């Protein structure tokens, strides 16, 4: 019974069929757990992703995020992500701070260990209560030895407001580009398995990196493809 409920909550999984050329510079629609298991192992140079925060998010205009109301996908998704990463590479994952225990358990179970923590201060408040929410955060996770790069990436990085015009939790390209620039080389493959409107993919493309995006929602895939002209 539990497997049945999980499948229903994750949504129908479409058949995925593609050849090697489609692994780069495209966006795939589907459940990332299944899609990633269909990709070649050890093929990705960097993962930079913004998964659901497990906070039952609802935007000011009433938009929600698929699977933000359950953690059934969390461990299998990051196990699949780890399976496509090349050895001694990095995964940068945004996360919901109030669910950090669940995220950390899933990352460690996948063989990903935290090696740094990134903070993005905001000039505005995204939520106000007893405290104002004025930052985003992401963990840097390694699947082996920490790779060497030509320059050190600051762990406090600038943020800009997107207006969430393309996605309810749209991340700014300007905030993601320094991460990709510091942690990859031209021609590397950058993966975002929760790509939303494609901000990670746009940042990678602008820097001369190859990209691969996956998203469960057809409307977000359409937005990302239109944005990237792919």
């Amino acid at each position: 019974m539990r497997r049945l409920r999980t499948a229903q909550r994750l949504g129908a999984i479409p058949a995925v069929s593609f050849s090697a050329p489609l692994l780069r510079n495209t966006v795939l629609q589907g459940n990332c757990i299944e899609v990633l298991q269909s990709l070649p192992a050890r093929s990705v140079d960097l993962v930079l992703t913004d998964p659901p925060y497990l906070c039952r998010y609802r935007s000011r205009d009433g938009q929600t995020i698929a699977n933000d109301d359950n953690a059934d996908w969390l461990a299998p998704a990051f196990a699949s992500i780890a399976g496509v990463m090349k050895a001694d590479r990095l995964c940068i994952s945004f996360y919901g701070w109030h669910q950090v225990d669940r995220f950390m358990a899933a990352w460690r179970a996948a063989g990903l260990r935290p090696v740094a923590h990134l903070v993005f201060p905001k000039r505005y408040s995204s939520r106000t209560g007893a405290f104002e929410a004025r930052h985003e955060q992401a963990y840097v996770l390694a699947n082996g030895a920490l790779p060497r790069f030509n320059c050190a990436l600051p762990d406090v990085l600038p943020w800009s407001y997107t207006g969430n015009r393309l996605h309810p939790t749209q991340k700014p390209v300007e905030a993601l580009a320094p991460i990709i620039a510091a942690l990859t080389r031209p021609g590397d493959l950058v993966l975002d398995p929760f790509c939303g409107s494609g901000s990670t993919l746009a940042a990678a493309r602008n820097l001369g990196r190859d990209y691969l995006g996956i998203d469960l929602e057809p409307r977000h895939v359409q937005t990302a493809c239109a944005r990237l002209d792919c």
Side-chain angles (χ1 to χ4, degrees):
M1 290 296 293
R2 182 170 179 78
R3 289 184 178 179
L4 177 60
R5 287 198 301 270
T6 299
Q8 289 174 336
R9 294 170 82 177
L10 288 174
I13 298 171
V16 178
S17 177
F18 46 83
S19 56
L22 291 180
L23 297 179
R24 291 176 178 263
N25 305 322
T26 193
V27 185
L28 303 175
Q29 188 271 318
N31 183 297
C32 72
I33 299 168
E34 294 293 322
V35 175
L36 290 170
Q37 290 173 353
S38 301
L39 299 182
R42 310 303 179 197
S43 57
V44 170
D45 295 288
L46 177 72
V47 179
L48 175 52
T49 194
D50 180 30
Y53 284 7
L54 307 179
C55 65
R56 299 179 183 270
Y57 175 84
R58 183 175 294 274
S59 67
R60 291 181 177 88
D61 59 359
Q63 296 186 73
T64 58
I65 305 297
N67 292 317
D68 196 32
D69 61 348
N70 74 91
D72 296 337
W73 54 270
L74 186 56
F78 278 96
S80 298
I81 289 168
V84 299
M85 293 172 61
K86 292 180 181 178
D88 303 328
R89 299 302 169 105
L90 298 176
C91 168
I92 291 85
S93 178
F94 288 85
Y95 67 96
W97 63 265
H98 65 300
Q99 297 283 5
V100 65
D101 54 338
R102 286 183 166 181
F103 278 92
M104 191 63 69
W107 295 332
R108 290 192 182 279
L112 302 172
R113 63 184 180 90
V115 295
H117 189 249
L118 305 180
V119 177
F120 305 82
K122 296 177 177 179
R123 296 183 179 180
Y124 59 94
S125 173
S126 57
R127 186 184 66 258
T128 301
F131 299 89
E132 289 189 342
R134 286 181 172 265
H135 79 281
E136 292 284 341
Q137 63 284 315
Y139 266 103
V140 182
L141 309 156
N143 68 343
L146 185 62
R148 294 181 179 274
F149 300 101
N150 293 329
C151 61
L153 179 70
D155 62 5
V156 178
L157 293 165
W159 189 264
S160 58
Y161 183 49
T162 66
N164 295 327
R165 292 179 293 272
L166 301 178
H167 187 275
T169 59
Q170 182 183 341
K171 297 296 186 285
V173 171
E174 298 82 359
L176 306 179
I179 301 172
I180 296 172
L183 304 182
T184 63
R185 300 175 178 85
D188 279 357
L189 178 58
V190 178
L191 168 69
D192 186 350
F194 302 93
C195 72
S197 64
S199 293
T200 293
L201 315 182
R205 180 198 60 182
N206 294 348
L207 290 166
R209 276 61 166 171
D210 290 344
Y211 61 84
L212 174 63
I214 306 168
D215 203 88
L216 181 64
E217 295 275 0
R219 62 192 175 104
H220 296 326
V221 172
Q222 292 174 359
T223 299
C225 285
R227 186 179 189 183
L228 295 159
D229 194 24
C230 62

